[in-house]
Amino acid sequence: MEEIKRYDNRLGVWGWLGGGRWGIERYAYILHRITGLGILFYFFLHIIVTSLRAKGIYLWEEPHFLDQPIFKFGEFLVFAAFAFHAFNGIRLVLVELGFAVGKPIEPVYPYKTSINTQRPLLIGMMLLAFVLFVLGGYHFLTAAD
């Protein structure tokens, strides 16, 4: 029987975050993971706060408990994470489906890259996310309590 080689994960968390060239795509990749974890954390926190209703604890009805600035800022951070994560996710789906990769060509020097197609898509999606971010920020700043 042939023995299977096993390789240790020597990079640990750094291998999860890094491990490649550092361009704008890598930063978008890292921020996509961080925002995904942040949205997941908010989801669990939301479930906990909402499930306290079963015990008769209504945190949002307590006087001024959730109206503190730290909670308003936290809501804005969740919104900002959602805006980035949603538009970057749309971009990633388009790339995975092949819309931003271009037609396959034979790898002959000088090599052609799909970065001329993918980077404008990344910039366009981030501009849309920024517009949503600004509109949401305006709403958070001007919303009456």
Side-chain angles (χ1 to χ4, degrees):
M1 181 176 237
E2 193 174 319
E3 187 177 328
I4 298 173
K5 284 188 174 182
R6 304 236 183 246
Y7 298 99
D8 293 335
N9 181 4
R10 295 184 203 142
L11 297 176
V13 174
W14 180 248
W16 184 73
L17 289 174
R21 291 188 212 172
W22 289 94
I24 190 170
E25 291 84 7
R26 175 58 80 178
Y27 293 118
Y29 170 75
I30 291 171
L31 194 56
H32 191 78
R33 284 189 166 200
I34 291 170
T35 56
L37 289 173
I39 292 169
L40 183 65
F41 174 74
Y42 173 77
F43 176 69
F44 286 136
L45 193 65
H46 182 73
I47 288 174
I48 290 169
V49 169
T50 305
S51 66
L52 288 175
R53 290 182 65 194
K55 295 185 177 193
I57 303 170
Y58 297 92
L59 289 180
W60 51 86
E61 290 180 0
E62 295 291 326
H64 307 293
F65 180 72
L66 293 178
D67 291 332
Q68 295 176 13
I70 189 75
F71 290 110
K72 294 294 182 186
F73 182 70
E75 284 179 351
F76 178 70
L77 285 181
V78 169
F79 175 77
F82 165 76
F84 173 81
H85 197 82
F87 282 106
N88 194 47
I90 292 169
R91 178 190 70 88
L92 291 174
V93 167
L94 291 175
V95 168
E96 286 296 318
L97 293 177
F99 292 112
V101 180
K103 294 182 179 178
I105 58 171
E106 187 158 347
V108 178
Y109 186 80
Y111 304 117
K112 298 203 179 201
T113 177
S114 65
I115 205 155
N116 295 331
T117 311
Q118 287 188 28
R119 191 157 288 169
L121 180 63
L122 172 67
I123 292 169
M125 288 296 182
M126 293 306 102
L127 286 174
L128 288 173
F130 182 74
V131 167
L132 186 62
F133 178 79
V134 168
L135 291 173
Y138 177 75
H139 173 73
F140 273 96
L141 287 175
T142 60
D145 289 329

